Amino acid sequence: MAFYYDEPSYTFSEYLLVPGYSSSECMPSNVSLKTPLVRFNQGEEAAISMNIPLVSAIMQAVSDDKMAIALAIEGGVSFIFCSQSVEDQAAMVSKVKNYKAGFVTSDSNIKPGQTLADILKIKEETGHSTVAVTDDGTSRGKLLGLVTSRDYRISRLPLSTKVDEFMTPFQSLMCAHEGITLKEANNYIWDHKLNTLPVIDENQNLVSLVFRKDYDTHKENPDELLDSLKRYVVGAGINTKDFEERVPALVEAGADILCIDSSEGFSEWQKLTIDFIRNRYGDNVKVGAGNVVDREGFMFLADAGADFIKVGIGGGSICITREEKGIGRGQATALIEVSKARDEYFEKTGVYIPICSDGGIVYDNHITLALAMGADFVMLGRYFARFDESPTNKFNINGNYVKEYWGEGSNRARNWQRYDLGGKEDLSFEEGVDSFVPYAGKLRNNVQITLSKTKSTMCNCGAITIPELHKKAKLTRVSSTSIVEGGAHDVVLKDNNILPVK
């Protein structure tokens, strides 16, 4: 006979947080949202932590290099989608790692005999206004000059003009030599009022570039998430089919952390994927796994060596897995059970494995509820798909702006790998839909509002850190009538376009 759970499963909207004692220390400005991204031993710190508890979903409609940069600036991590070629995904990872660093490897280079038209083409393709002129047109060639937007005016120069006719030549450049520290380089930039400082070796070969704007950006964004070389931290999705080819390429490209993208993680396929990574790289390559919805699934992936574990099946706004297959679990119930398993595992082994709540987030307050229920961070798809930085198109429909958003299990994405159970390489039916979401503007503005709500609610619970929230949070289930009571009711909402009667 089948096993039956005694209780129904619940989701976030069926819970409320009960306020706890708030000391005078509990102010939003004192709240730290720093959270571990990967497993660590008791008494130690995680090898990778985030400054905010948000990661973007492994989806075509959400996470590309542009999203990864925007989210890293705020302190979170994007997992660049894997339902594309290995080469294209690795190229996206490389773009993020090279976008900002203390010492940037130049990826906009040109030969002196090329033309202004070539400069404009490079600028269009990369968005970079600074182009290094080297003898062979590579990032490690002999530096002959620089071209910036101040070196030419399109209205005054024919597009056929050779680069060496308008570039700033090497003799006029201020350069630093290999071995200079980042602090020394930044001081040199400020002392000499430079925008760009080329770093060269003893043979005048270009080594890297240091930009003034990178220093400014860091000061304006104190939460930005950087690696030891001052590059943005970026994640990448992998699947359980071509991991032997995909993982090495992503590691070579500089991915800081990987995550297995699968609709259901309690399977031998995930263990085989993790085994490959551990056998080849040991613990140097970090990898998350999932998704699971109960204690048994968590324990399986924990023992397999996952660095974090995702929780949630069927709760995404574009996911129809529950509808099509009748499988899944209410997100809150699943998260609560897995969190208890995580604490049990920590008590037994001294190893803490972060939990990622994936799916079921409708309102901003659901993020705080997920954290209170034991999640260390949440993965969001629809939330990030609404922003300028997502890779999808924006449309005006009946006067309202929307952005495209589709599931990885839809016919549009055709990401059969994440649903593969050892069958043919195709989708036999859809587990996701193709849709629109309301356009919401810039990521930064929205994320800051969302996190302001989270910090305020944490203070109401008497907590100023996420681990403290795990311990102090008090939750109550609510009735359907209580849910109605929680919104505006028994009033006529104002229409600001209605004028008062005189």
Side-chain angles (χ1 to χ4, degrees):
M1 181 178 175
F3 175 82
Y4 288 88
Y5 287 91
D6 294 331
E7 290 283 330
S9 62
Y10 299 93
T11 192
F12 296 129
S13 290
E14 296 170 280
Y15 283 87
L16 285 174
L17 281 158
V18 176
Y21 170 72
S22 301
S23 70
S24 58
E25 185 184 27
C26 290
M27 297 184 293
S29 59
N30 289 337
V31 172
S32 167
L33 294 177
K34 186 172 182 178
T35 192
L37 183 57
V38 297
R39 68 162 64 202
F40 60 93
N41 295 323
Q42 186 172 15
E44 299 178 358
E45 288 194 3
I48 307 174
S49 292
M50 298 186 294
N51 294 323
I52 63 172
L54 307 181
V55 300
S56 67
I58 310 168
M59 300 176 69
Q60 293 175 9
V62 180
S63 298
D64 65 352
D65 51 292
K66 187 177 179 183
M67 176 61 70
I69 291 166
L71 188 50
I73 288 173
E74 300 306 315
V77 172
S78 281
F79 286 88
I80 292 176
F81 70 95
C82 56
S83 50
Q84 59 179 320
S85 72
V86 173
E87 295 76 16
D88 288 347
Q89 188 186 18
M92 285 188 180
V93 170
S94 293
K95 284 182 180 179
V96 179
K97 300 308 292 186
N98 291 321
Y99 181 83
K100 179 190 182 298
F103 297 96
V104 181
T105 299
S106 177
D107 59 357
S108 295
N109 309 289
I110 201 166
K111 296 179 182 178
Q114 291 180 258
T115 65
L116 176 58
D118 296 316
I119 289 285
L120 298 179
K121 183 179 179 181
I122 289 174
K123 185 175 181 180
E124 182 180 359
E125 290 175 349
T126 66
H128 299 160
S129 57
T130 299
V131 180
V133 184
T134 59
D135 61 345
D136 58 3
T138 71
S139 61
R140 298 291 293 187
K142 185 175 182 179
L143 182 63
L144 303 178
L146 282 182
V147 174
T148 71
S149 56
R150 294 180 300 179
D151 290 313
Y152 59 87
R153 290 180 66 177
I154 300 174
S155 60
R156 295 191 176 185
L157 278 179
L159 296 181
S160 59
T161 306
K162 293 289 193 294
V163 169
D164 58 9
E165 294 180 32
F166 60 86
M167 71 180 185
T168 301
F170 177 80
Q171 294 78 5
S172 301
L173 295 175
M174 288 188 173
C175 299
H177 286 277
E178 193 172 16
I180 190 173
T181 66
L182 183 58
K183 182 176 182 180
E184 291 170 341
N186 281 322
N187 287 337
Y188 194 88
I189 285 172
W190 282 94
D191 291 344
H192 294 87
K193 300 181 180 180
L194 304 175
N195 288 322
T196 308
L197 177 66
V199 179
I200 57 175
D201 65 15
E202 58 184 10
N203 297 316
Q204 200 179 311
N205 293 317
L206 180 62
V207 175
S208 58
L209 301 171
V210 182
F211 294 97
R212 173 192 287 262
K213 66 179 179 61
D214 287 349
Y215 179 88
D216 293 340
T217 299
H218 178 62
K219 292 302 179 184
E220 292 169 3
N221 301 285
D223 285 334
E224 63 181 353
L225 197 59
L226 306 175
D227 65 14
S228 60
L229 298 176
K230 308 296 183 183
R231 302 174 300 180
Y232 287 133
V233 172
V234 60
I238 59 174
N239 60 62
T240 58
K241 296 297 290 185
D242 65 4
F243 56 85
E244 292 186 6
E245 176 188 2
R246 191 173 294 270
V247 169
L250 295 173
V251 171
E252 178 67 23
D256 297 278
I257 184 166
L258 308 175
C259 182
I260 302 172
D261 180 35
S262 175
S263 64
E264 202 276 297
F266 192 5
S267 76
E268 186 179 5
W269 303 109
Q270 297 232 347
K271 184 179 186 305
L272 293 172
T273 305
I274 296 171
D275 285 346
F276 168 80
I277 293 172
R278 293 291 172 251
N279 291 334
R280 182 156 180 170
Y281 300 101
D283 292 329
N284 293 325
V285 172
K286 308 300 183 182
V287 57
N291 288 21
V292 297
V293 291
D294 63 5
R295 175 188 180 279
E296 195 175 3
F298 172 87
M299 291 298 184
F300 172 78
L301 291 178
D303 290 338
D307 286 297
F308 71 83
I309 295 173
K310 288 202 297 168
V311 177
I313 293 176
S317 61
I318 41 68
C319 182
I320 54 173
T321 292
R322 297 180 191 175
E323 181 180 325
E324 292 295 314
K325 296 169 66 174
I327 192 167
R329 201 177 192 191
Q331 185 66 11
T333 299
L335 183 56
I336 290 168
E337 180 174 324
V338 172
S339 295
K340 289 179 180 177
R342 185 265 319 281
D343 294 344
E344 177 188 337
Y345 190 87
F346 180 57
E347 184 82 17
K348 179 181 177 181
T349 67
V351 177
Y352 186 92
I353 302 177
I355 289 174
C356 170
S357 179
D358 179 18
I361 302 292
V362 181
Y363 306 110
D364 285 350
N365 68 75
H366 290 172
I367 294 174
T368 318
L369 283 166
L371 296 174
M373 291 173 181
D376 296 279
F377 54 96
V378 298
M379 177 172 278
L380 303 167
R382 180 194 61 86
Y383 177 88
F384 286 116
R386 304 172 302 148
F387 303 147
D388 284 323
E389 293 82 359
S390 75
T392 62
N393 295 314
K394 183 171 69 173
F395 296 92
N396 187 321
I397 299 179
N398 297 326
N400 296 311
Y401 284 103
V402 296
K403 293 203 76 176
E404 295 176 295
Y405 181 46
W406 61 91
E408 289 296 294
S410 67
N411 278 329
R412 181 171 183 175
R414 303 211 64 79
N415 184 6
W416 62 268
Q417 293 97 331
R418 83 185 306 268
Y419 300 94
D420 180 59
L421 294 174
K424 63 179 182 178
E425 298 184 359
D426 197 6
L427 284 175
S428 55
F429 59 90
E430 287 187 287
E431 293 189 45
V433 299
D434 197 344
S435 64
F436 294 111
V437 288
Y439 168 66
K442 294 288 185 185
L443 178 146
R444 177 169 196 165
N445 299 336
N446 287 276
V447 165
Q448 290 183 348
I449 292 171
T450 295
L451 296 181
S452 291
K453 295 177 185 178
T454 298
K455 291 179 179 180
S456 180
T457 305
M458 287 173 62
C459 288
N460 293 144
C461 296
I464 59 173
T465 66
I466 292 174
E468 199 173 7
L469 181 66
H470 288 168
K471 295 177 181 178
K472 291 187 175 182
K474 295 183 292 182
L475 291 138
T476 181
R477 280 213 306 266
V478 294
S479 67
S480 58
T481 305
S482 295
I483 294 172
V484 174
E485 178 187 58
H489 59 89
D490 301 314
V491 295
V492 178
L493 296 178
K494 282 186 177 181
D495 183 342
N496 292 329
N497 295 319
I498 297 177
L499 299 175
V501 177
K502 295 183 180 180

